Amino acid sequence: MSLHATLAAVTDRIIERSAPTREAYLARMRAAASKGPARAHLSCSGQAHAYAAAGEDQATLATSTGGHLGIVTAYNDMLSAHQPFETYPAKIRDAVREVGGTAQVAGGVPAMCDGVTQGEAGMELSLFSRDSIAMSVGIALSHNVFDASVYLGVCDKIVPGLVIGAQAFGHLPAVFLPAGPMTSGLSNDEKAKIRQKFAAGEVGRDELLKAEMAAYHGPGTCTFYGTANTNQMLMEFMGLHLPGSSFVNPGTELREALTREGAKRALSLSALGNDYTPVCDILDEKAFVNGIAGLMATGGSTNLLIHLIAMARAGGIILDWQDFSDISDVVPLLARVYPNGLADVNHFHAAGGLGYMIGQLLDAGFLHPDTKTVAGEGLGAYLMEPFLEAGTLTWRKGSSETLNDNIVRPASDPFQKTGGLARLTGNLGTGVMKISAVAEEHRVVEAPVRVFHDQDEAKAAFKAGELNEGDVVIVVRFQGPKANGMPELHSLTPFLSIMQGRGQKVALVTDGRMSGASGKVPSAIHVVPEALDGGPIAKLQDGDVVRVDATTGTLAVLTEGVMDRPVVTADLTAYQHGTGRELFALFRQNVTSADTGATVFGV
């Protein structure tokens, strides 16, 4: 089927809008490619330093023209999703030696767990860690001795940061090597119920801890469809993963085979061979439109409304929220994965997974079929699934039929006819809402507001019984990137869910973030302008009536005279120091708005 007219129109306007910056970026990448890596041109002393610890590869590096692979790793064993990366470098070295190449760990990048920092001061560094990761990639690859690169990262800010960094070296091929999700434990739905019971005081902390440990129980990505697993989806839809590799569990023979093949594939794409495919050619305007379509069809994380914009800008491509909104209006929701359903990502993968979804979207005209990928020309390879045949990695055609229509459905019979995200505008500014998990009867809330300046104030009011009666819109402001780094406010979810569950109409409005697990409560998030920038939400007072309407895309205060008030100020000194906050003052002072990627980097 031909490309849907809306996707074609959005792509054309992105290309037109981005032309000057995209052309300048590509010119820089072509110039870098023409110079090639400086390995052979290093001084003898420089080469000696570069190869001194290369062990058995030392002589090859000094005398051979075989390809040299740079490994950028986000390994630490604080993140369950990243713990498997501990053993990847040795496997990658062994794999590339088989094809006459060499590999070195170019550098490590920081990786923090949003699960650990949720509701804590460290969460205020989370968003900024993305740009720190990108800068760390720059340091890692600054030695300019590599012909290609592989990136080891999975979680929330790590993959976007790695993509931004990879594009600074966009003349190099780049393959992203995932670690896969942990095996299924306690269901995400049951875990959420225990959290709500704890928030309501019905169970103690011992039972809460027991449930959490049963849910997060081993190596691999958390199994709900949050930001980390949305990242993995994007890497397939945008052509940076090997086909079918995102959701293969750690510690399996198939996972190891995919890791080895990904390393070899990266080298095969270098300028030394006949299939030179730099990452700047893969991540073009069509690839980003495909990524947005995948985000909508799967009901992915709201965080990508910020990250995709920042990722695109790193390659000279300018996206805006209207692009997301227009694509969401036509791309159907084809998946129900927790928190949008009861299934986890392992169930999703077994039901047909990304290969099935890509096939459905291609057939319905909702993806560009002709993009470049690390697997070759076009998305056709991503309809295939990997398997081992007598110990050898190969691919076969994936299922063209859903294996569980409670989890994935065909484009002809979707869960809903539009995508999983909505843009909201009005006199309070512009925000976004993840609607894939929000029931239709909860998508419109018109109620008086209660205003708070941080999530702890809101939680305290709930515990004090101040939010027990009546419909209410909870406003949590001064949570934007300039105010305090735009932390996720996911710890609000349990008590908001309790309020909704006892029959109250409730919504959240904030200039902060929620997360990929934002749940069933309608949440207008990422509101711009943020309160610290004088946004209208800084004029709201308790009792003002606000309408949050995901059906018409409205975010408005209905009380007269609000816009005539002066903006309030807030004491933000508590956000300036402690837990590393002081080290990120330059980020808070220079960050752009959420709708332009909340980044410290220009176009």
Side-chain angles (χ1 to χ4, degrees), residues 442-449 470-473 505-507 544-549 554 556-558:
H442 295 309
R443 293 183 182 180
V444 180
V445 178
E446 184 178 308
V449 303
D471 300 341
V472 63
V473 174
K505 283 272 192 178
V506 59
D544 292 338
V545 176
V546 163
R547 183 175 181 85
V548 180
D549 187 341
T554 300
V557 58
L558 306 182

Side-chain angles (χ1 to χ4, degrees), residues 114 118 123 227 301-303 486-493 496 508 510 512-519 521 523-526:
D114 287 359
Q118 200 64 245
M123 175 51 72
T227 309
S301 169
T302 54
N303 281 323
M486 206 179 188
E488 288 180 353
L489 307 178
H490 185 42
S491 65
L492 296 176
T493 301
L496 292 173
L508 173 70
T510 181
R513 294 184 293 135
M514 284 294 279
S515 76
S518 51
V521 176
S523 302
I525 61 176
H526 306 176

Side-chain angles (χ1 to χ4, degrees), residues 121-338:
M123 175 51 72
E124 294 167 30
L125 312 186
S126 175
L127 179 60
F128 293 148
S129 75
R130 181 196 65 198
D131 291 6
S132 297
I133 288 163
M135 290 187 282
S136 298
V137 172
I139 294 169
L141 297 181
S142 65
H143 303 97
N144 195 23
V145 298
F146 301 108
D147 300 295
S149 54
V150 291
Y151 293 86
L152 314 182
V154 172
C155 286
D156 297 18
K157 258 52 81 243
I158 294 91
V159 167
L162 291 174
V163 170
I164 292 169
Q167 289 186 98
F169 292 82
H171 61 291
L172 295 178
V175 174
F176 280 62
L177 302 179
M182 68 177 68
T183 56
S184 301
L186 181 72
S187 75
N188 289 294
D189 185 55
E190 185 61 29
K191 173 195 68 182
K193 290 176 181 177
I194 298 296
R195 286 179 175 177
Q196 290 182 30
K197 288 181 179 180
F198 177 76
E202 297 172 10
V203 301
R205 195 172 189 86
D206 55 344
E207 189 165 344
L208 175 66
L209 180 59
K210 181 180 178 182
E212 299 286 358
M213 294 289 283
Y216 306 118
H217 62 91
T221 319
C222 306
T223 59
F224 62 86
Y225 194 52
T227 309
N229 287 316
T230 303
N231 287 340
Q232 303 311 291
M233 175 277 297
L234 286 170
M235 292 301 94
E236 286 210 31
F237 271 72
M238 298 174 72
L240 291 178
H241 274 179
L242 292 181
S245 64
S246 294
F247 299 131
V248 176
N249 300 124
T252 62
E253 291 183 12
L254 181 56
R255 175 85 277 156
E256 181 165 343
L258 286 164
T259 298
R260 294 173 62 87
E261 180 62 24
K264 293 177 183 178
R265 185 62 182 162
L267 270 190
S268 76
L269 300 176
S270 80
L272 298 173
N274 297 322
D275 296 320
Y276 177 48
T277 310
V279 72
C280 65
D281 287 351
I282 290 177
L283 294 179
D284 64 3
E285 295 89 344
K286 291 180 179 180
F288 277 98
V289 169
N290 284 353
I292 296 171
L295 181 67
M296 301 309 165
T298 59
S301 169
T302 54
N303 281 323
L304 273 301
L305 288 156
I306 295 174
H307 297 326
L308 274 167
I309 291 173
M311 291 156 64
R313 285 180 169 242
I317 297 169
I318 302 173
L319 305 178
D320 63 33
W321 282 348
Q322 191 61 49
D323 301 327
F324 290 76
S325 181
D326 289 352
I327 292 173
S328 184
D329 284 344
V330 298
V331 172
L333 181 69
L334 304 185
R336 289 283 192 200
V337 189
Y338 188 88

Side-chain angles (χ1 to χ4, degrees), residues 356-369:
Y356 171 77
M357 294 203 60
I358 289 172
Q360 287 295 311
L361 293 169
L362 280 172
D363 288 346
F366 293 122
L367 291 175
H368 288 279

